[in-house]
Amino acid sequence: MWPYYPELLATPVPRYTSYPTAAEFGAIDTAPYAAALGGAEGDVSLYIHIPFCEKICFYCGCNTAAAGRRHRLESYLDALHQEIELVAERLPRSARVRRIAFGGGSPNALTPIDFVRLVDKLFVAFSLSDPVISIELDPRSLTEEWTKTIGGIGIERVSMGVQTFAPHCMQAIGRVQAEDTIVRSVDWLRAAGVTSLNFDLMYGLPGQTLHDLEDSLQRTRVLGADRVALFGYAHVPHLVPRQKAIPADNLPGQQARFEMAERGYFYLATHGYAPVGFDHFAKPGDPLASASLAGKVHRNFQGFTDDASPVLIGLGASAISGFPDFLAQNVKDAGRYRMITSGGMLPAARGIERSADDRYRGTVIERLLCDGSARVGAKLLHEVRGSLAPFVARDLISIIDDRVAISPIGLPYARTIAASFDSFRQESTRQFSSAV
Ligand code: SF4
């Protein structure tokens, strides 16, 4: 059982997919981004953002819009091809692309032929080294032709947005998908050679009960998902206006959310999945579970990952790039993105330099979230001892010499514990989601 201490979860905290987080980004010009690209070496990962979906879900906080008319997608793709050239010509040939992730939005809002052209473009522009390719898919608009395209390219890692199997929850969040749609997608993807299939699921949905959650987890297990990412729905309509369509009076309260997170965790942990970090789960043998066993899980803008590359280059509107000493985000608006890239300029608009102190704190936060423990130097430990005291007093963490370790019952407090090491925390609590 996880002990419930509402006072420790009262303050919203970041998800720490980077440190500093995107909330700390300020306006930048493109010179430092160009310099960071020029200095990249060794293994590099690419993330390609497709900000379009066939149908927009009420809950979605992603930078995406309805695919609508074909010419919108075509002009976005023209801009994306242009950005690929701009980035590739600055990247040294010694930088080897080992990973490519397509996300969004829904990459399958593109036609299969446009997607193949995009993949070809990457292969021509960059120095690729037998890259591991992954893709996010919306099962509602997935076709057999699309899955055959995935098989033809050799993509073995797929993540599908499933969220819930409960019809009343689907209705409330504006994402209705028949179970047959999921079953059919799984069959097509397996036939196409996909070996690592992730289901995104959510708890904390309007009207959702513990039974609804467990039922969705059970269906997920029966359908054979290799990985599960179980996220708490963050209701922040002041930041995500489309969430105003979700009835707030029927949302589970914090304690109910806590119980759902706990039920989800123990269901998956006792039904063949290894917990990874605080919200991912993977079957033994899946690369993410193997990385977790070896203490080699990392955290980047896509969540917990086995990708160890120190450089992640984001391509597309709103995509974020991470370098050891610099973070940069492209303009979010697809129209401005098209305008800037068509003028032959890099579209990075916001970002932050990472100081040595940022990198150090970032490593502590990453290890705490990925491994549950981190070594902390005496000076930083002295600084955070006061903030950690409530967690120590409740046995949620232990501090022995220079090691801070989250105890098994402390897992639901992991993000809050990590936030103690965040020097930017005081200013921006309003922008984050519930700690559980
Ligand atoms: S399909 Fe995914 S990315 Fe698109 S609106 Fe729904 S949740 Fe957002």
Side-chain angles (χ1 to χ4, degrees):
M1 283 283 287
W2 286 345
Y4 178 55
Y5 300 113
E7 68 279 14
L8 297 183
L9 297 168
T11 307
V13 284
R15 298 188 61 77
Y16 291 115
T17 52
S18 69
Y19 183 81
T21 71
E24 270 69 58
F25 291 5
I28 57 164
D29 66 38
T30 53
Y33 177 52
L37 287 172
E41 53 187 26
D43 290 352
V44 166
S45 300
L46 303 179
Y47 168 77
I48 294 98
H49 190 74
I50 307 296
F52 298 104
C53 296
E54 283 291 316
K55 295 176 204 151
I56 300 296
C57 315
F58 301 159
Y59 62 89
C60 179
C62 300
N63 177 35
T64 190
R69 287 191 294 274
R70 168 121 187 102
H71 77 85
R72 286 183 69 200
L73 268 72
E74 281 174 354
S75 56
Y76 181 79
L77 284 171
D78 287 346
L80 190 52
H81 282 240
Q82 177 73 31
E83 189 194 5
I84 289 168
E85 282 176 21
L86 291 168
V87 167
E89 69 194 26
R90 286 167 173 82
L91 203 64
R93 292 305 283 182
S94 58
R96 310 282 296 175
V97 174
R98 303 290 306 273
R99 304 246 178 178
I100 303 174
F102 293 91
S106 307
N108 60 313
L110 304 180
T111 63
I113 188 105
D114 282 341
F115 182 68
V116 170
R117 283 196 191 117
L118 183 56
V119 172
D120 284 349
K121 179 77 182 183
L122 295 170
F123 271 76
V124 169
F126 291 103
S127 172
L128 300 186
S129 179
D130 192 19
V132 173
I133 308 180
S134 60
I135 187 167
E136 295 171 6
L137 297 172
D138 179 355
R140 295 172 301 174
S141 50
L142 191 62
T143 60
E144 189 169 17
E145 185 193 1
W146 240 102
T147 56
K148 284 182 174 164
T149 303
I150 286 170
I153 294 169
I155 299 176
E156 293 180 350
R157 298 190 185 194
V158 166
S159 179
M160 279 206 304
V162 176
Q163 317 310 352
T164 176
F165 285 89
H168 62 283
C169 296
M170 291 185 202
Q171 205 76 47
I173 60 173
R175 184 188 181 110
V176 177
Q177 53 195 12
E179 187 165 352
D180 280 358
T181 308
I182 308 294
V183 173
R184 184 185 67 185
S185 299
V186 170
D187 288 346
W188 283 339
L189 290 166
R190 292 303 191 192
V194 169
T195 54
S196 181
L197 178 57
N198 176 76
F199 278 20
D200 280 350
L201 296 178
M202 286 199 294
Y203 67 84
L205 298 174
Q208 189 180 30
T209 63
L210 281 171
H211 173 76
D212 292 330
L213 175 65
E214 198 161 299
D215 180 72
S216 292
L217 292 165
Q218 191 175 352
R219 289 171 200 271
T220 295
R221 179 175 63 84
V222 170
L223 284 170
D226 303 291
R227 296 185 190 181
V228 179
L230 180 59
F231 302 118
Y233 165 59
H235 190 64
V236 284
H238 57 292
L239 298 174
V240 183
R242 57 173 79 110
Q243 290 184 349
K244 288 180 184 149
I246 294 183
D249 54 349
N250 209 11
L251 288 166
Q254 193 196 58
Q255 184 161 3
R257 289 172 63 90
F258 187 89
E259 286 166 10
M260 286 183 184
E262 180 183 38
R263 181 70 66 93
Y265 180 90
F266 286 104
Y267 180 92
L268 291 166
T270 55
H271 287 81
Y273 292 86
V276 179
F278 54 83
D279 57 9
H280 282 43
F281 303 83
K283 279 187 180 171
D286 184 272
L288 189 61
S290 306
S292 178
L293 264 182
K296 290 184 175 168
V297 170
H298 294 271
R299 189 145 175 85
N300 68 14
F301 304 110
Q302 288 135 58
F304 291 104
T305 174
D306 58 335
D307 182 359
S309 167
V311 174
L312 172 65
I313 298 171
L315 299 157
S318 78
I320 301 180
S321 298
F323 302 88
D325 53 9
F326 190 65
L327 299 167
Q329 182 170 30
N330 282 351
V331 288
K332 289 187 181 174
D333 179 75
R336 277 197 66 211
Y337 171 76
R338 285 196 301 267
M339 227 170 59
I340 294 170
T341 51
S342 66
M345 288 180 293
L346 291 167
R350 297 179 65 74
I352 191 168
E353 283 189 22
R354 301 177 81 214
S355 66
D357 182 60
D358 292 337
R359 293 200 295 275
Y360 180 48
R361 288 171 189 266
T363 301
V364 169
I365 289 171
E366 184 182 42
R367 290 335 316 152
L368 272 175
L369 296 181
C370 294
D371 304 338
S373 75
R375 296 182 65 181
V376 184
K379 185 163 167 272
L380 182 55
L381 199 50
H382 177 74
E383 184 193 309
V384 301
R385 236 176 228 286
S387 335
L388 295 181
F391 302 97
V392 175
R394 292 167 176 82
D395 291 328
L396 302 175
I397 57 169
S398 62
I399 304 177
I400 298 173
D401 300 328
D402 65 347
R403 184 160 291 280
V404 175
I406 300 174
S407 66
I409 59 167
L411 189 68
Y413 303 91
R415 282 165 57 198
T416 314
I417 292 164
S420 300
F421 295 88
D422 180 344
S423 65
F424 298 92
R425 286 299 300 120
Q426 320 315 327
E427 298 139 35
S428 41
T429 53
R430 202 176 52 79
Q431 304 191 40
F432 302 114
S433 58
S434 166
V436 69

